[in-house]
Amino acid sequence: MPEHEVVRHYTEISLKNHHVDRALYPLGSCTMKYNPKVNEQMARLSGFAGLHPFAPAEAAQGALGLMHELGELLCEVAGMDSISLQPAAGAQGELTGVLLMRAYHRARGDEGRRRVLIPDSAHGTNPATVALAGFEVVELRSNEAGRLDLDSLRSVLDADVAGLMLTNPNTLGVFESEILEISELVHGSGGLMYMDGANLNALMGIARPGDMGYDIVHLNLHKTFSTPHGGGGPGAGPVAVKARLAPFLPTPGLKKEGESYALDWDRPESIGKIHGFYGNFGVLVRAYTYLRMLGRDGVRETAEAAVLNNAYMSARLEERFPLPYGRGMHESVYSGAELKRRTGVKTLDVAKRLLDYGFHAPTIYFPLIVSEALMTEPTETETREELDRYADALIAIADEAEHDPELVTGAPHATPVTRLDEGRAGRRLDVRWSFDNDA
Ligand SMILES: *Cc1c(COP(=O)(O)O)cnc(C)c1O
């Protein structure tokens, strides 16, 4: 096949997929911001991309130095003392963090702490992580404001509790404004505070997990610090901790000795290795580039713009898609329950119809505490025109639901395939291409 036919083939395939280089990608909780291309150029520098993972430290000083500096920058953003860059994603960061909790309590001879507390608004990876680490999940209620209910917390706090996992702002986009009191309560009963830092885009440069009383936080570098994601990786979920948890961090760590950098294997209390080599190095280069390009002021302005963009989006949409828990910070969770009652059109239909308008669907049916949830996170990188285009599309779909509901329930109409049997697709996964299924 001639070269240009191959190029056309792949270009054609890339256009069948929605990506952030095409249009707004409102998938809430996932922070699908634009990823600056300079990150890619830096990650592809031959000195980084061609470095052998077994290269001795003397031959990898640039890479080790970058990781060390990135660690310091991230600790500064998080208000923490130490960090491991190893975990490959948020979920693996969570597992690392909960294993750190376990190691901490064990080292103190406090073996009876079997339970980890998680609010009912949490991301599904939180309870999965806790179960995988061998703890028992205790679910806490959210109050009418969408915040952790303090009475619910008080009623379960005892010497059984290893810690609390709390996303902030939580998955409703709502800031846990009682966080200092929450931290005090948890610490008072001997537990640790874990922050799922996936929503840091709302806070960075303004408020720091470490200052809120958290002991452990994971950061989703591919979300907040801009690596292309959504296709399944690679990502990075560094875990930053307060000093008292540092001895348990994964090996190897990194240390600076005079002007040179070295791997630190001397961590007798470490939970061990969590990923091959040092994690997904290319993602670390992208995050480092991104942070250095933004600088201190840029980091803060990024969070401010993310919150402002979402406030604008919420103001445009809330009349047609109510917000049961109010406007969120960087993302808002709308409800399609009213629309469904009146027209029979479900949130799933609205999301499918958005594809016809050239957008990726928002996150739907999550968090579980909002009925017919539709969760939109515009991110800071969209212009007002693009935000309007998306809001106009959703409003147009709400109108269609009133006047021509079948247009919406039959959507999408403009995509190569329409509605798939998702259950069957999951159970009978077939990812091979053949001429037979090219229809
Ligand atoms: C994305 C996300 C996670 C999981 O992170 P991955 O990098 O996808 O493993 C956990 N919690 C929240 C709130 C998230 O948005």
Side-chain angles (χ1 to χ4, degrees), residues 29 89-91 94 123 125 167 171 196 198 220 222-223:
S29 209
E94 290 175 33
H123 195 266
T125 49
T167 315
T171 57
D196 175 334
N220 300 59
H222 43 292
K223 294 179 180 173

Side-chain angles (χ1 to χ4, degrees), residues 108-125:
R108 294 157 52 90
D110 199 355
E111 305 263 355
R113 297 185 179 269
R114 311 272 336 121
R115 308 194 297 166
V116 175
L117 314 178
I118 303 180
D120 53 10
S121 63
H123 195 266
T125 49

Side-chain angles (χ1 to χ4, degrees), residues 235-319:
V239 172
V241 297
K242 290 280 175 63
R244 61 181 169 147
L245 285 141
F248 310 106
L249 283 172
T251 46
L254 276 173
K255 57 184 178 184
K256 192 172 181 186
E257 290 169 330
E259 283 311 300
S260 59
Y261 301 94
L263 296 174
D264 180 10
W265 292 93
D266 185 22
R267 279 189 175 160
E269 294 186 281
S270 166
I271 60 167
K273 232 170 178 327
I274 211 81
H275 191 278
F277 304 104
Y278 321 107
N280 285 325
F281 179 65
V283 180
L284 307 181
V285 178
R286 290 177 179 89
Y288 178 79
T289 307
Y290 183 71
L291 274 166
R292 292 298 300 264
M293 294 292 289
L294 284 176
R296 188 180 288 269
D297 292 343
V299 166
R300 190 189 64 246
E301 284 162 19
T302 295
E304 288 169 354
V307 173
L308 180 63
N309 274 0
N310 185 55
Y312 180 73
M313 185 71 86
S314 304
R316 283 227 46 204
L317 289 176
E318 66 193 346
E319 197 189 314

